Amino acid sequence: MKEKVRQIVLSSGADVCGIAGMDRFDKVPEGFRPVDIWADCKSVICLGVALPKGLLAVPPRLIYGHYNGMVCEQADRAALRSAKEIEKLGALAVPLPGDGPYEYWDAQTKTGKGLVSVKEIAVACGLGQLGKNTILLNPQYGSMLNMSVILTDLELESDPYAESICILGCHKCVENCPAHAIGENGSVNQLACREMTYHKTARGFDTVDCNQCRTICPMRFGKGRV
């Protein structure tokens, strides 16, 4: 059944798919666990769609102002299609968007949290480990994945955890952050990061003007890739 579900997801447009049971979320803070959204959830499916590597060679306004949103939408559409196909197996499936909504927002520190932490779910589902910049690093696609989530009442065995590809002793993301927002302990000062990153054009359109922690990472394209 697990491999049937995986093939459904991959055939819906996803580049990667991972699966985790509820035991992987015991240490997640209350309020942000899959069962806090749906009490009958038995397994979580995480899928990812990769961005083209070339988008890191150009200013971040292009990747975040246009194509990042398109790929987020593609991942969400893959989750929706997959959920409908999974329900044909006699199960229930709840697709969750990969970006937002921010139910939690601390205006003073500009700290936002979604319904669930998608990158933490990706780790639980075996799709990667978090780098020092707190971005998911997938062995095949590096930091180029945008992800969505599906909750299901199917009881599926967890995939193995992924290896960490964050280089031991490398601190390029920490040292090159222009806002000095990345801590050595794997935390990010969201207030400092957001004030450096998010601005508006003269016409009032939102812009993203920094992704240095992503572009400077030697593992941004995955293990053994340039």
Side-chain angles (χ1 to χ4, degrees), residues 13-27:
D15 292 311
V16 294
C17 172
I19 296 169
M22 288 300 96
D23 59 305
R24 293 274 176 97
F25 303 96
D26 291 341
K27 296 181 180 179

Side-chain angles (χ1 to χ4, degrees), residues 72 76 96-104 112-116 118 147-148:
C72 284
D76 288 346
L96 298 179
D99 186 21
Y102 278 171
E103 294 289 335
Y104 174 94
K113 297 180 182 179
L115 297 174
V116 292
V118 175
M147 294 162 292
S148 291

